[in-house]
Amino acid sequence: MAKKSVASLQTGSKRLSKAIKMVKSPKTGAYMFVESIMDPSEVDKFLAKK
């Protein structure tokens, strides 16, 4: 049901990850994508929350 995608990004000395999550809109019922760039240790928390 949910699509998960994680890409690794490297900028300078800091390593980042871009996480994309597909969520269902409560108003329309349509699916939309939520993107976020964060530290790799935060990705699991981002994908777990609803």
Side-chain angles (χ1 to χ4, degrees), residues 19-39:
I20 303 170
K21 179 169 60 170
M22 190 168 85
V23 295
K24 190 172 185 175
S25 172
K27 286 184 178 180
T28 63
Y31 285 95
M32 59 186 178
F33 293 97
V34 178
E35 298 182 20
S36 182
I37 296 176
M38 65 196 76
D39 190 78

Side-chain angles (χ1 to χ4, degrees), residues 9-16 39:
L9 305 172
Q10 196 166 5
T11 58
S13 63
K14 187 159 184 153
R15 195 177 157 105
L16 300 172
D39 190 78

